[in-house]
Amino acid sequence: MPLDLILHNLEKHIHLTREEQEIFTAYLQPKKIKRKQFLLTYGEVCKYSAFVTGGCLRGYTVDKSGIEHVLSFAPADWWIADMYSLISQKPGIQNIEALEDTDVLLLSKANQEKLYTQIPKFEHFFRILTENSLVASQQRLIDSLSLTAEERYNNFCKRYPTLIDHLPQKQIASYIGVTPEFFSRMKSVIVRKK
């Protein structure tokens, strides 16, 4: 059940009473996103945090040359949003697209703010999510500056173990910052080493 999944996700950081669970789940909006459809496009203001209950989303930007740069993936049991846009309520810098048919539970920024007042422990929960996102972004930046492509791929495998065999190689290549051709050659070398 989607609600069981999100409640279990919350339980990793906060404990809710039955009444608090009911208040929280009343604020959630289920949405189905077909493969290749967008939850958010560049320039839109991000009004929701999305919790994935099935399928997979990817967050990415497109540079001036038209090259996509994958910033994150969100398989089941992950949250995703354009954090810059969600927090600032300015036009977003990311596209969030479904890589396969995906089910999400949306929590609007307005309802998130209501939760902070009604159930203060949600401030703690979302602070942890925001801090984890900041730490992951900073680590990814440091990795891109200091690690080899193979080391970045190994980090990807640790971060997203369920996605290794499910994503197209070009998506993984974009995430670790290499061309699909380089990624293919690198994987061949890794396989030969084993």
Side-chain angles (χ1 to χ4, degrees):
M1 291 268 306
L3 290 180
D4 290 341
L5 187 61
I6 197 168
L7 292 172
H8 177 71
N9 184 275
L10 295 174
E11 287 289 329
K12 294 175 189 173
H13 303 293
I14 59 174
H15 177 72
L16 299 178
T17 66
R18 175 68 62 198
E19 182 185 350
E20 290 169 337
Q21 288 177 4
E22 289 171 6
I23 292 168
F24 170 67
T25 57
Y27 284 134
L28 300 174
Q29 175 187 336
K31 183 176 179 79
K32 291 185 178 296
I33 308 162
K34 293 282 186 200
R35 181 178 180 269
K36 295 197 174 208
Q37 284 187 331
F38 290 87
L39 176 64
L40 184 74
T41 56
Y42 177 87
E44 278 184 84
V45 174
C46 184
K47 293 180 170 38
Y48 300 92
S49 295
F51 180 80
V52 179
T53 59
C56 187
L57 300 174
R58 74 174 174 132
Y60 70 96
T61 61
V62 181
D63 68 21
K64 291 177 182 168
S65 302
I67 297 170
E68 294 180 0
H69 301 279
V70 177
L71 304 173
S72 62
F73 295 102
D77 200 29
W78 283 61
W79 290 85
I80 190 169
D82 180 328
M83 294 297 287
Y84 164 78
S85 179
L86 185 69
I87 292 168
S88 70
Q89 287 298 281
K90 292 181 179 174
I93 55 175
Q94 281 190 58
N95 297 293
I96 299 177
E97 177 188 28
L99 294 174
E100 58 195 40
D101 290 353
T102 301
D103 295 311
V104 297
L105 295 170
L106 300 176
L107 177 64
S108 71
K109 179 165 176 60
N111 285 339
Q112 188 174 330
E113 295 290 336
K114 288 177 189 173
L115 281 172
Y116 293 163
T117 304
Q118 290 179 293
I119 310 169
K121 57 185 101 170
F122 272 99
E123 275 197 299
H124 176 74
F125 177 78
F126 283 104
R127 188 195 75 214
I128 290 170
L129 282 189
T130 303
E131 288 173 351
N132 289 345
S133 175
L134 175 63
V135 167
S137 294
Q138 184 176 355
Q139 188 60 56
R140 191 139 173 250
L141 176 61
I142 292 167
D143 289 354
S144 71
L145 296 171
S146 61
L147 298 181
T148 66
E150 187 173 337
E151 290 168 327
R152 293 193 308 272
Y153 175 66
N154 289 334
N155 285 350
F156 168 85
C157 293
K158 288 176 192 160
R159 183 164 176 81
Y160 298 108
T162 60
L163 299 182
I164 300 162
D165 298 324
H166 292 45
L167 290 176
Q169 287 196 1
K170 72 177 188 172
Q171 301 289 341
I172 299 172
S174 175
Y175 181 87
I176 65 170
V178 298
T179 64
E181 298 78 17
F182 179 88
F183 182 72
S184 182
R185 288 192 305 271
M186 182 186 76
K187 267 195 88 176
S188 295
V189 170
I190 292 170
V191 168
R192 282 197 303 271
K193 283 182 187 177
K194 290 182 178 179

